[in-house]
Amino acid sequence: MDAILVVNAGSSSVKFQVFAANGSHDLQRLIKGQIEGIGTQPRLYATGSGRAKLVDCAYSTKVVPDVSAAMRAAGAWLREQGNINLVAIGHRVVHGGPEYDCPVVIDDQVIKKLERYVPLAPLHQPNNLAPIRSVYAQSPELLQVACFDTAFHRGHSAVVDHYAIPERYYAEGVRRYGFHGLSYEYIASRLPEVMPSVANGRVIVAHLGSGASMCAIAAGRSVESSLGFTALDGLPMGTRPGQLDPGIVLYLIDQKGMSSAEVQTLFYHECGLKGLSGVSNDVRELEQSDSPRAKFALDYFVYRVGIYAGMLAAALGGIDAFVFTAGIGENSSGIRARVAEKLGWLGVELDPIANAAHAQTISCKASRVGVYVVATDEELMIARHTLALLTDRTLQKVKRAGVG
């Protein structure tokens, strides 16, 4: 069976899914799994259709010390499944820089270009590239596709993309990119099904998870995002601070004597909900905690979501719908209720029963703005892009064979 493997590699885990590629538009999810605890307590877990358990296997750190080894372990297990013939691999790559506004087939030049953006996404880019290099070294003939979290936002106007700094820096690539684009692209593709009456209207999507951002979408296209040059901007996140006065960076370096590496570690690993609460970076734990600092962290998070909703509403000139997605947005009825209360001035009225039941539509009938909960599916989006490029390459081969 011809299949597409989708890989989403992080620092301590590699998530993967396998889709049967039965035609130019037909994708069937076969396997969903991950190797977690890389470098500490590696464990491979995967389920099949109907969430049936397929494997639950622990490894030693000698066998799986890093992301590349995790990919080899996952690949070995997939080959044992027998009837799966991998014809392509699609990868989530967080930063595509100014060059890439759509998915691209990976080769030596692409890898070299993407390595330049490691400093802009140090939590993600190195781990995204590790499995790409590993597969490319072992099976260079296998089609690999890079799908970028920045690509969906590349249609922004120059006014949106610029910072108020000399133009030469913009020319070098210092600009507002926006992230979580694969999630927003998937949600945009679902809008005609979920909310057909406003699918071509003005929609704010809140991707609220350990990494959090918001996006203003008009007629299915991104027009503004809370994230900018790196994944540190905008909303507070699990361990990242969100929007900061740049003077804080200067203060930490000049007055506190911190190195750039120390500042980077602080901003990527010690701030956000973790830094504010002193308890956890996990909203589930914070909601259950009786710590005043945990409560304050959640108050701050909700407040900033409300602030950015106002900013994005201004960019759109008003809104017709608001969508919650990702881990917090899909699962925390409490956070949704608190955010909706902040959006009352925009005409949002929540249905508390629907919200508690995690219904798809959680606004009441009297609400001037529809409020929805839509589960994101970045992996399916990657599989779609990979299938499209695989189909295009197959057609090109057929045409060349016909000419010959």
Side-chain angles (χ1 to χ4, degrees), residues 8 15 92 94 123-124 149 179-181 183-184 205-215 225-227 230-242 267-268 271-274 281-284 301 305 324-330 376 378:
N8 185 348
K15 298 177 183 178
R92 178 196 178 206
V94 166
L123 276 187
H124 305 90
D149 262 339
F179 297 90
H180 294 134
S183 175
Y184 293 127
V205 182
H207 178 106
L208 306 181
S210 180
S213 70
M214 296 169 70
C215 180
S225 169
S226 64
L227 282 169
T230 71
L232 287 171
D233 202 3
L235 300 177
M237 306 176 216
T239 61
R240 286 170 272 170
F267 286 167
Y268 278 99
C271 293
L273 297 177
K274 177 183 178 182
N281 64 341
D282 191 318
V283 164
R284 292 168 296 187
F301 181 73
V305 173
F324 290 98
T325 193
I328 300 168
E330 294 170 26
T376 193
E378 294 160 303

Side-chain angles (χ1 to χ4, degrees), residues 20-360:
N22 300 317
S24 59
H25 299 289
D26 188 11
L27 287 164
Q28 177 189 358
R29 202 183 319 260
L30 301 175
I31 297 172
K32 180 177 182 179
Q34 67 176 343
I35 293 188
E36 60 186 12
I38 296 171
T40 55
Q41 294 179 315
R43 172 175 171 260
L44 169 63
Y45 182 83
T47 57
S49 58
R51 298 186 178 182
K53 184 187 295 186
L54 299 178
V55 64
D56 188 351
C57 176
Y59 298 87
S60 73
T61 54
K62 291 183 179 180
V63 175
V64 182
D66 53 30
V67 171
S68 294
M71 278 295 296
R72 289 193 294 272
W77 177 77
L78 286 170
R79 284 191 291 273
E80 292 173 0
Q81 301 314 296
N83 64 337
I84 295 176
N85 175 42
L86 287 185
V87 293
I89 303 178
H91 298 266
R92 178 196 178 206
V93 178
V94 166
H95 216 303
E99 286 100 337
Y100 299 114
D101 60 359
C102 61
V104 63
V105 173
I106 293 167
D107 58 21
D108 286 321
Q109 289 301 112
V110 170
I111 293 174
K112 289 178 182 177
K113 288 181 179 178
L114 295 180
E115 286 172 345
R116 299 206 302 260
Y117 306 120
V118 167
L120 306 188
L123 276 187
H124 305 90
Q125 199 85 347
N127 301 305
N128 298 158
L129 295 178
I132 291 174
R133 293 194 197 96
S134 178
V135 173
Y136 194 71
Q138 296 177 38
S139 305
E141 75 288 347
L142 181 60
L143 178 71
Q144 293 194 86
V145 174
C147 301
F148 305 104
D149 262 339
T150 49
F152 185 64
H153 307 292
R154 288 301 314 285
H156 288 176
S157 70
V159 168
V160 172
D161 272 357
H162 271 69
Y163 290 103
I165 58 178
E167 182 67 17
R168 63 181 180 274
Y169 295 109
Y170 181 84
E172 293 172 5
V174 181
R175 60 187 71 178
R176 293 178 54 83
Y177 289 102
F179 297 90
H180 294 134
L182 290 163
S183 175
Y184 293 127
E185 185 180 10
Y186 175 78
I187 297 299
S189 75
R190 291 287 317 279
L191 296 183
E193 175 187 346
V194 175
M195 54 191 91
S197 62
V198 296
N200 288 319
R202 304 161 300 178
V203 181
I204 294 175
V205 182
H207 178 106
L208 306 181
S210 180
S213 70
M214 296 169 70
C215 180
I217 296 177
R221 298 177 64 86
S222 171
V223 298
E224 179 61 275
S225 169
S226 64
L227 282 169
F229 182 55
T230 71
L232 287 171
D233 202 3
L235 300 177
M237 306 176 216
T239 61
R240 286 170 272 170
Q243 184 183 27
L244 283 173
D245 181 335
I248 294 175
V249 180
L250 301 178
Y251 171 80
L252 294 174
I253 293 173
D254 293 342
Q255 303 301 316
K256 303 297 288 184
M258 294 177 69
S259 67
S260 60
E262 289 172 329
V263 172
Q264 178 171 291
T265 297
L266 172 68
F267 286 167
Y268 278 99
H269 298 283
E270 300 172 15
C271 293
L273 297 177
K274 177 183 178 182
L276 283 173
S277 71
V279 174
S280 174
N281 64 341
D282 191 318
V283 164
R284 292 168 296 187
E285 293 183 29
L286 297 180
E287 288 182 317
Q288 294 171 4
S289 174
D290 57 5
S291 165
R293 290 182 63 189
K295 179 181 181 302
F296 177 77
L298 294 176
D299 289 345
Y300 184 86
F301 181 73
V302 169
Y303 174 75
R304 300 306 295 181
V305 173
I307 290 290
Y308 271 92
M311 182 191 79
L312 297 178
L316 289 166
I319 66 170
D320 303 304
F322 190 96
V323 178
F324 290 98
T325 193
I328 300 168
E330 294 170 26
N331 297 297
S332 176
S333 58
I335 292 294
R336 290 197 301 261
R338 295 183 63 186
V339 169
E341 186 177 1
K342 291 285 185 185
L343 305 183
W345 67 278
L346 286 169
V348 168
E349 293 185 53
L350 210 63
D351 180 336
I353 296 176
N355 182 46
H358 301 285
Q360 188 170 80

